[in-house]
Amino acid sequence: MPPPPDAVAATAELLRAMLRSQAAYRQRWVRHALRMRTDDISYAAVSQVVALHLWDQGIVADSDRELPRRLRDRIRHALRGEQLSYETLTWIIESFYFTAEDSHKIWDTYAGNDPDGAGSDGVGSTLRIPPVPMVSSQKHQTKALFSRYYINSDRMLAKIETSHAMVALEDGVDTFGYSPRDTVADVQVIAGGSFAGYRSSVPGFIGVELRLDRTLRIGQHASLQYFTAHRSTAEPCTQVRRAARSRINDVDMRVIFDTVTPVRAWWCAWDSYDGGNTVLRVPTDLTPIWELHRFFAYIEHTVVGFEWEW
């Protein structure tokens, strides 16, 4: 569902204020401005910053030198509050390296929430180390994600069951990729698509590509249900993580223990897909049915999950 028009207008006003008045953001676009006749924002300069980000991330081929010109109308409409899509807002936030606090304020405003109130229960902008490369360019927005992590009696991660709802951000979306740990033993799609194959990734991870049942046009929705089975490792499992490069809404995570349960546990956010520093570490109790559970209204540019001790 698109945001209400007043939320789009308020978000655009907030973006303009930040880009105009906050030195770290202003400096990024001013260096690309050819002329500064007023104190207003140069749409061409902002478009250049966004284009550099898209080239750097491999989202658009760097041979496409017309990209800044093509982005100009989109950026102008966005900053005027005339049309501001999820994708465009994501590009602006990532291109200008908005802080976690500013990102939360922007997304809450876009969702129609009070940015100065309690806000939504989300986590974002904790990554400090480049994320694992994408299996393929992301052409969808995740609308909801439900993950179930099963820990067996040997204290090993046995499998992860995932239900994934998405909406296409452009025409021709027919695949979905993700990068689990390289302990994967099997991938099976229950509904919504089929396993297309493994793809190369960085050490410690493996790329998985799934093919959707149908090719999506922009704005069309689809859902996938799949599970990833994992082989045993030398050490017991003591944490599970869910990474988010771009914004993922309505994330529900559960860790389900077979017969052995941890003595203490925390929900966490990290600054890296693997290892790294713990940015948030909050004690949490097992549910009455001996599970770890947390719901996030959204996660973006972060890694969240659970950590425990046996």
Side-chain angles (χ1 to χ4, degrees):
M1 178 181 296
D6 57 345
V8 170
T11 305
E13 182 179 357
L14 182 59
L15 281 172
R16 289 197 307 272
M18 290 181 175
L19 292 173
R20 185 186 300 117
S21 63
Q22 297 196 32
Y25 309 147
R26 181 179 175 83
Q27 289 170 4
R28 290 189 67 81
W29 66 262
V30 164
R31 70 186 64 169
H32 299 289
L34 299 179
R35 293 183 299 274
M36 291 290 292
R37 295 178 179 175
T38 69
D39 191 42
D40 207 354
I41 296 169
S42 166
Y43 302 126
V46 174
S47 299
Q48 183 67 34
V49 175
V50 174
L52 289 170
H53 167 74
L54 298 180
W55 285 331
D56 183 62
Q57 295 299 311
I59 298 172
V60 177
D62 56 13
S63 59
D64 183 1
R65 309 316 295 180
E66 293 296 310
L67 179 61
R69 181 186 60 79
R70 292 203 315 276
L71 286 172
R72 197 171 305 170
D73 283 345
R74 178 189 281 219
I75 295 300
R76 183 176 67 252
H77 291 315
L79 294 181
R80 286 180 175 177
E82 298 166 349
Q83 184 177 357
L84 178 56
S85 68
Y86 164 85
E87 182 179 56
T88 303
L89 185 53
T90 299
W91 288 350
I92 294 173
I93 289 173
E94 293 182 348
S95 300
F96 284 87
Y97 299 99
F98 279 98
T99 65
E101 181 180 358
D102 287 344
S103 296
H104 294 169
K105 185 175 293 187
I106 291 167
W107 282 119
D108 281 343
T109 303
Y110 189 69
N113 299 326
D114 177 8
D116 296 318
S120 52
D121 188 13
V123 178
S125 301
T126 69
L127 287 179
R128 298 293 178 268
I129 298 173
V132 174
M134 292 186 293
V135 175
S136 56
S137 59
Q138 187 166 312
K139 302 175 182 178
H140 70 275
Q141 177 194 357
T142 299
K143 305 297 291 184
L145 185 69
F146 298 85
S147 294
R148 303 291 181 262
Y149 301 80
Y150 290 87
I151 310 299
N152 63 24
S153 58
D154 294 325
R155 299 181 295 175
M156 299 290 178
L157 174 63
K159 68 176 180 177
I160 305 171
E161 291 185 353
T162 304
S163 296
H164 191 122
M166 68 185 75
V167 60
L169 297 177
E170 59 182 73
D171 291 336
V173 177
D174 60 357
T175 59
F176 168 77
Y178 67 106
S179 298
R181 297 303 303 257
D182 61 4
T183 54
V184 168
D186 187 29
V187 176
Q188 292 192 24
V189 182
I190 302 168
S194 58
F195 175 68
Y198 294 112
R199 305 290 182 258
S200 61
S201 187
V202 297
F205 296 85
I206 189 168
V208 173
E209 187 172 67
L210 308 181
R211 185 163 300 280
L212 304 180
D213 280 344
R214 61 192 178 98
T215 300
L216 305 178
R217 298 192 304 274
I218 186 170
Q220 288 189 317
H221 291 71
S223 63
L224 279 168
Q225 290 180 275
Y226 54 93
F227 76 78
T228 308
H230 290 258
R231 63 177 181 272
S232 297
T233 56
E235 299 294 332
C237 179
T238 57
Q239 65 173 229
V240 296
R241 300 187 180 199
R242 165 60 65 179
R245 179 188 303 268
S246 298
R247 189 178 179 91
I248 301 177
N249 294 320
D250 295 338
V251 179
D252 190 273
M253 296 182 66
R254 291 182 186 271
V255 184
I256 301 166
F257 298 93
D258 186 359
T259 55
V260 183
T261 58
V263 295
R264 61 183 62 88
W266 304 263
W267 78 261
C268 304
W270 292 270
D271 66 359
S272 172
Y273 274 40
D274 188 30
N277 300 307
T278 305
V279 179
L280 295 170
R281 196 167 192 257
V282 181
T284 188
D285 295 323
L286 292 168
T287 69
I289 55 174
W290 305 108
E291 298 177 356
L292 294 174
H293 174 245
R294 188 165 182 87
F295 174 82
F296 300 91
Y298 67 86
I299 58 175
E300 63 167 330
H301 202 62
T302 187
V303 177
V304 298
F306 293 98
E307 191 171 67
W308 59 86
E309 293 179 358
W310 294 108

Coordinates of all heavy atoms in Angstrom, one line a residue, residues 174-229:
D174 N 11.5 -12.0 -11.9 CA 11.1 -13.4 -12.0 C 12.0 -14.3 -11.1 O 11.9 -15.5 -11.0 CB 11.2 -14.0 -13.4 CG 12.6 -13.8 -14.0 OD1 13.5 -13.2 -13.4 OD2 12.7 -14.2 -15.2
T175 N 12.9 -13.7 -10.3 CA 13.8 -14.5 -9.4 C 13.9 -13.8 -8.1 O 13.7 -12.6 -8.0 CB 15.2 -14.7 -10.0 OG1 15.8 -13.4 -10.3 CG2 15.2 -15.5 -11.3
F176 N 14.4 -14.5 -7.1 CA 14.7 -14.0 -5.8 C 15.9 -14.7 -5.3 O 16.1 -15.9 -5.4 CB 13.5 -14.3 -4.8 CG 13.8 -14.1 -3.4 CD1 13.9 -12.8 -2.9 CD2 14.1 -15.2 -2.6 CE1 14.2 -12.6 -1.5 CE2 14.5 -14.9 -1.2 CZ 14.5 -13.7 -0.7
G177 N 16.9 -13.9 -4.7 CA 18.1 -14.5 -4.3 C 18.4 -14.1 -2.8 O 18.0 -13.1 -2.3
Y178 N 19.1 -15.0 -2.1 CA 19.5 -14.7 -0.8 C 20.8 -15.5 -0.5 O 21.2 -16.3 -1.3 CB 18.4 -15.1 0.3 CG 18.1 -16.6 0.4 CD1 18.6 -17.3 1.5 CD2 17.4 -17.3 -0.6 CE1 18.3 -18.6 1.7 CE2 17.1 -18.6 -0.4 CZ 17.5 -19.3 0.7 OH 17.3 -20.6 0.8
S179 N 21.5 -15.1 0.6 CA 22.8 -15.6 0.9 C 22.9 -16.2 2.3 O 23.3 -15.5 3.2 CB 23.9 -14.5 0.7 OG 23.9 -14.0 -0.6
P180 N 22.6 -17.5 2.5 CA 22.7 -18.1 3.8 C 24.1 -18.6 4.0 O 25.0 -18.5 3.2 CB 21.8 -19.4 3.6 CG 21.9 -19.7 2.2 CD 22.0 -18.4 1.5
R181 N 24.4 -19.0 5.2 CA 25.7 -19.5 5.6 C 26.0 -20.8 4.7 O 25.1 -21.5 4.2 CB 25.8 -19.9 7.0 CG 25.6 -18.8 8.0 CD 26.6 -17.7 7.8 NE 28.0 -18.1 7.8 CZ 28.8 -17.9 8.9 NH1 28.4 -17.3 9.9 NH2 30.0 -18.4 8.8
D182 N 27.3 -21.0 4.5 CA 27.7 -22.1 3.6 C 27.6 -23.5 4.2 O 28.1 -24.5 3.7 CB 29.2 -21.9 3.1 CG 30.2 -21.9 4.3 OD1 29.8 -22.1 5.4 OD2 31.4 -21.6 4.0
T183 N 26.9 -23.6 5.4 CA 26.6 -24.9 6.0 C 25.3 -25.5 5.3 O 24.8 -26.5 5.8 CB 26.4 -24.8 7.5 OG1 25.4 -23.8 7.8 CG2 27.7 -24.4 8.2
V184 N 24.8 -24.8 4.3 CA 23.5 -25.3 3.7 C 23.7 -26.7 3.1 O 24.7 -27.0 2.4 CB 23.1 -24.3 2.5 CG1 22.0 -25.0 1.7 CG2 22.7 -23.0 3.1
A185 N 22.7 -27.6 3.4 CA 22.7 -28.9 2.9 C 21.7 -29.1 1.9 O 21.8 -30.0 1.0 CB 22.5 -29.9 4.0
D186 N 20.6 -28.3 1.9 CA 19.5 -28.5 1.0 C 18.6 -27.3 1.0 O 18.5 -26.6 2.0 CB 18.6 -29.8 1.4 CG 17.6 -30.1 0.4 OD1 17.8 -29.8 -0.8 OD2 16.5 -30.7 0.8
V187 N 18.0 -27.0 -0.1 CA 17.0 -25.9 -0.2 C 15.8 -26.4 -0.9 O 15.9 -27.1 -2.0 CB 17.6 -24.7 -1.1 CG1 16.5 -23.6 -1.2 CG2 18.8 -24.1 -0.4
Q188 N 14.6 -26.3 -0.3 CA 13.4 -26.7 -0.9 C 12.4 -25.6 -0.9 O 12.2 -24.9 0.2 CB 12.8 -27.9 -0.2 CG 13.7 -29.2 -0.4 CD 13.0 -30.4 0.1 OE1 11.8 -30.5 0.2 NE2 13.8 -31.5 0.5
V189 N 11.7 -25.4 -2.0 CA 10.6 -24.4 -2.1 C 9.3 -25.1 -1.9 O 9.0 -26.0 -2.6 CB 10.7 -23.6 -3.4 CG1 9.6 -22.6 -3.5 CG2 12.1 -23.0 -3.7
I190 N 8.5 -24.6 -0.9 CA 7.2 -25.2 -0.6 C 6.1 -24.6 -1.5 O 5.3 -25.3 -1.9 CB 6.9 -25.0 0.9 CG1 8.0 -25.6 1.8 CG2 5.6 -25.6 1.3 CD1 7.9 -25.2 3.2
A191 N 6.2 -23.3 -1.7 CA 5.2 -22.7 -2.5 C 5.7 -21.4 -3.1 O 6.5 -20.7 -2.5 CB 3.9 -22.4 -1.7
G192 N 5.2 -21.0 -4.3 CA 5.5 -19.8 -4.9 C 6.7 -19.7 -5.9 O 6.9 -18.7 -6.5
G193 N 7.4 -20.9 -6.0 CA 8.5 -20.9 -6.9 C 9.2 -22.2 -6.9 O 8.7 -23.2 -6.5
S194 N 10.5 -22.2 -7.4 CA 11.3 -23.4 -7.5 C 12.8 -23.0 -7.3 O 13.2 -21.8 -7.5 CB 11.1 -24.1 -8.8 OG 11.5 -23.2 -9.9
F195 N 13.5 -24.0 -6.9 CA 15.0 -23.8 -6.7 C 15.7 -23.7 -8.0 O 15.5 -24.5 -8.9 CB 15.5 -25.0 -5.9 CG 17.0 -24.9 -5.7 CD1 17.6 -23.9 -4.9 CD2 17.8 -25.9 -6.3 CE1 19.0 -23.9 -4.7 CE2 19.2 -25.9 -6.1 CZ 19.8 -24.9 -5.4
A196 N 16.4 -22.6 -8.2 CA 17.1 -22.3 -9.5 C 18.5 -22.7 -9.5 O 19.1 -23.0 -10.5 CB 16.9 -20.9 -9.9
G197 N 19.2 -22.7 -8.3 CA 20.6 -23.1 -8.2 C 21.3 -22.3 -7.2 O 20.9 -21.3 -6.7
Y198 N 22.6 -22.8 -7.0 CA 23.5 -22.1 -6.1 C 24.3 -21.1 -6.9 O 24.6 -21.3 -8.1 CB 24.4 -23.1 -5.4 CG 23.7 -24.0 -4.4 CD1 23.6 -25.3 -4.7 CD2 23.1 -23.5 -3.3 CE1 22.9 -26.2 -3.8 CE2 22.5 -24.3 -2.4 CZ 22.4 -25.7 -2.6 OH 21.7 -26.5 -1.8
R199 N 24.7 -20.0 -6.3 CA 25.5 -19.0 -6.9 C 26.7 -18.7 -6.0 O 26.7 -18.9 -4.8 CB 24.8 -17.7 -7.2 CG 23.5 -17.9 -8.0 CD 23.8 -18.3 -9.4 NE 22.5 -18.4 -10.2 CZ 22.0 -19.6 -10.5 NH1 22.6 -20.7 -10.2 NH2 20.9 -19.6 -11.3
S200 N 27.8 -18.2 -6.6 CA 29.0 -17.9 -5.8 C 28.8 -16.7 -4.9 O 27.9 -15.9 -5.2 CB 30.2 -17.6 -6.8 OG 29.9 -16.5 -7.6
S201 N 29.5 -16.7 -3.8 CA 29.4 -15.6 -2.8 C 30.7 -15.5 -2.1 O 31.7 -16.1 -2.5 CB 28.2 -15.9 -1.8 OG 28.0 -14.8 -1.0
V202 N 30.8 -14.7 -1.1 CA 32.0 -14.5 -0.3 C 32.2 -15.7 0.6 O 31.3 -16.5 0.9 CB 32.0 -13.2 0.5 CG1 31.8 -12.0 -0.4 CG2 30.8 -13.2 1.5
P203 N 33.5 -15.9 1.1 CA 33.7 -17.1 2.0 C 32.8 -17.0 3.2 O 32.6 -16.0 3.8 CB 35.2 -16.8 2.4 CG 35.8 -16.1 1.2 CD 34.7 -15.2 0.7
G204 N 32.3 -18.2 3.6 CA 31.4 -18.3 4.7 C 29.9 -18.3 4.3 O 29.1 -18.6 5.1
F205 N 29.6 -17.9 3.1 CA 28.2 -17.8 2.6 C 28.1 -18.4 1.2 O 29.1 -18.7 0.5 CB 27.8 -16.3 2.5 CG 27.8 -15.6 3.8 CD1 28.9 -15.0 4.3 CD2 26.6 -15.6 4.6 CE1 28.9 -14.4 5.6 CE2 26.6 -14.9 5.8 CZ 27.8 -14.3 6.3
I206 N 26.9 -18.7 0.8 CA 26.6 -19.2 -0.5 C 25.4 -18.6 -1.0 O 24.5 -18.2 -0.3 CB 26.4 -20.8 -0.5 CG1 26.4 -21.3 -1.9 CG2 25.2 -21.2 0.3 CD1 26.5 -22.8 -1.9
G207 N 25.4 -18.3 -2.3 CA 24.2 -17.6 -2.9 C 23.2 -18.7 -3.3 O 23.5 -19.8 -3.8
V208 N 21.9 -18.4 -3.1 CA 20.8 -19.2 -3.5 C 19.9 -18.4 -4.3 O 19.5 -17.3 -4.0 CB 20.1 -19.8 -2.3 CG1 18.8 -20.5 -2.7 CG2 21.0 -20.7 -1.4
E209 N 19.5 -19.0 -5.5 CA 18.6 -18.3 -6.4 C 17.3 -19.1 -6.5 O 17.4 -20.3 -6.8 CB 19.2 -18.0 -7.7 CG 18.3 -17.1 -8.6 CD 19.0 -16.7 -9.9 OE1 19.2 -17.6 -10.7 OE2 19.2 -15.5 -10.1
L210 N 16.1 -18.5 -6.3 CA 14.8 -19.1 -6.5 C 14.1 -18.5 -7.7 O 14.3 -17.3 -7.9 CB 14.0 -19.0 -5.3 CG 14.6 -19.4 -3.9 CD1 13.6 -19.2 -2.8 CD2 15.1 -20.9 -4.0
R211 N 13.4 -19.3 -8.5 CA 12.6 -18.7 -9.6 C 11.2 -18.7 -9.2 O 10.6 -19.7 -8.7 CB 12.8 -19.6 -10.8 CG 12.2 -19.0 -12.1 CD 12.7 -19.6 -13.3 NE 14.1 -19.4 -13.5 CZ 14.7 -18.3 -13.9 NH1 13.9 -17.2 -14.2 NH2 16.0 -18.1 -14.0
L212 N 10.6 -17.5 -9.4 CA 9.2 -17.3 -9.0 C 8.3 -18.1 -10.0 O 8.6 -18.4 -11.1 CB 8.8 -15.8 -9.1 CG 9.6 -14.9 -8.2 CD1 9.1 -13.5 -8.3 CD2 9.6 -15.4 -6.7
D213 N 7.1 -18.4 -9.5 CA 6.1 -19.1 -10.4 C 5.7 -18.3 -11.6 O 5.3 -18.8 -12.6 CB 4.9 -19.5 -9.6 CG 5.1 -20.8 -8.7 OD1 6.1 -21.5 -9.0 OD2 4.3 -21.0 -7.8
R214 N 5.7 -17.0 -11.4 CA 5.3 -16.1 -12.5 C 6.2 -14.8 -12.5 O 6.7 -14.5 -11.5 CB 3.8 -15.7 -12.4 CG 3.5 -14.9 -11.1 CD 2.0 -14.8 -10.9 NE 1.7 -14.1 -9.7 CZ 1.4 -12.8 -9.6 NH1 1.4 -12.1 -10.7 NH2 1.1 -12.2 -8.4
T215 N 6.3 -14.2 -13.7 CA 7.1 -13.0 -13.8 C 6.2 -11.8 -13.4 O 5.0 -11.7 -13.9 CB 7.5 -12.8 -15.3 OG1 8.4 -13.9 -15.6 CG2 8.3 -11.5 -15.4
L216 N 6.7 -11.0 -12.5 CA 5.9 -9.9 -12.0 C 6.1 -8.6 -12.8 O 7.2 -8.3 -13.2 CB 6.3 -9.7 -10.5 CG 6.2 -10.9 -9.6 CD1 6.7 -10.4 -8.2 CD2 4.8 -11.4 -9.5
R217 N 5.0 -7.8 -12.9 CA 5.1 -6.5 -13.4 C 5.2 -5.5 -12.1 O 4.9 -6.0 -11.0 CB 3.9 -6.1 -14.2 CG 3.8 -6.9 -15.5 CD 2.7 -6.3 -16.4 NE 1.4 -6.2 -15.7 CZ 0.5 -7.1 -15.6 NH1 0.7 -8.3 -16.1 NH2 -0.6 -6.9 -15.0
I218 N 5.7 -4.3 -12.4 CA 5.8 -3.4 -11.3 C 4.5 -3.3 -10.5 O 3.4 -3.2 -11.1 CB 6.2 -2.0 -11.8 CG1 6.5 -1.0 -10.6 CG2 5.2 -1.4 -12.8 CD1 7.2 0.2 -11.1
G219 N 4.6 -3.4 -9.2 CA 3.4 -3.3 -8.3 C 2.7 -4.6 -8.0 O 1.9 -4.6 -7.1
Q220 N 3.1 -5.7 -8.7 CA 2.5 -6.9 -8.4 C 3.1 -7.6 -7.2 O 4.3 -7.5 -7.0 CB 2.6 -7.9 -9.7 CG 1.7 -7.5 -10.8 CD 1.6 -8.5 -11.9 OE1 2.7 -9.1 -12.3 NE2 0.5 -8.8 -12.4
H221 N 2.3 -8.4 -6.5 CA 2.8 -9.1 -5.3 C 3.0 -10.5 -5.5 O 2.4 -11.1 -6.4 CB 1.7 -8.9 -4.2 CG 1.7 -7.5 -3.7 ND1 1.1 -6.5 -4.4 CD2 2.1 -6.9 -2.5 CE1 1.1 -5.3 -3.7 NE2 1.7 -5.6 -2.5
A222 N 3.8 -11.1 -4.7 CA 4.1 -12.6 -4.8 C 4.5 -13.0 -3.4 O 4.9 -12.2 -2.5 CB 5.2 -12.9 -5.8
S223 N 4.4 -14.3 -3.1 CA 4.9 -14.8 -1.9 C 5.7 -16.1 -2.1 O 5.4 -16.9 -3.1 CB 3.7 -15.1 -0.9 OG 2.9 -16.1 -1.5
L224 N 6.6 -16.4 -1.3 CA 7.5 -17.6 -1.3 C 7.5 -18.2 0.0 O 7.5 -17.5 1.1 CB 8.9 -17.2 -1.7 CG 9.2 -17.0 -3.2 CD1 10.6 -16.4 -3.3 CD2 9.2 -18.3 -4.0
Q225 N 7.4 -19.5 0.0 CA 7.7 -20.3 1.3 C 8.8 -21.3 0.9 O 8.7 -22.1 0.0 CB 6.4 -21.0 1.7 CG 5.3 -20.1 2.2 CD 4.1 -20.9 2.7 OE1 3.2 -21.2 1.9 NE2 4.0 -21.2 3.9
Y226 N 9.8 -21.3 1.7 CA 10.9 -22.2 1.4 C 11.7 -22.5 2.7 O 11.5 -21.8 3.7 CB 11.9 -21.6 0.4 CG 12.4 -20.2 0.8 CD1 13.6 -20.0 1.5 CD2 11.7 -19.1 0.5 CE1 14.1 -18.8 1.9 CE2 12.2 -17.8 0.8 CZ 13.3 -17.7 1.5 OH 13.8 -16.4 1.8
F227 N 12.4 -23.6 2.7 CA 13.3 -23.9 3.9 C 14.7 -24.3 3.4 O 14.9 -24.8 2.3 CB 12.7 -25.0 4.8 CG 12.8 -26.4 4.3 CD1 14.0 -27.1 4.4 CD2 11.7 -27.0 3.8 CE1 14.1 -28.4 4.0 CE2 11.7 -28.3 3.4 CZ 13.0 -29.0 3.5
T228 N 15.6 -23.9 4.3 CA 17.0 -24.2 4.1 C 17.5 -25.1 5.2 O 17.5 -24.7 6.3 CB 17.8 -22.8 4.1 OG1 17.2 -21.9 3.2 CG2 19.3 -23.0 3.7
A229 N 17.9 -26.3 4.8 CA 18.4 -27.3 5.8 C 19.9 -27.1 5.9 O 20.6 -26.8 4.9 CB 18.1 -28.7 5.3

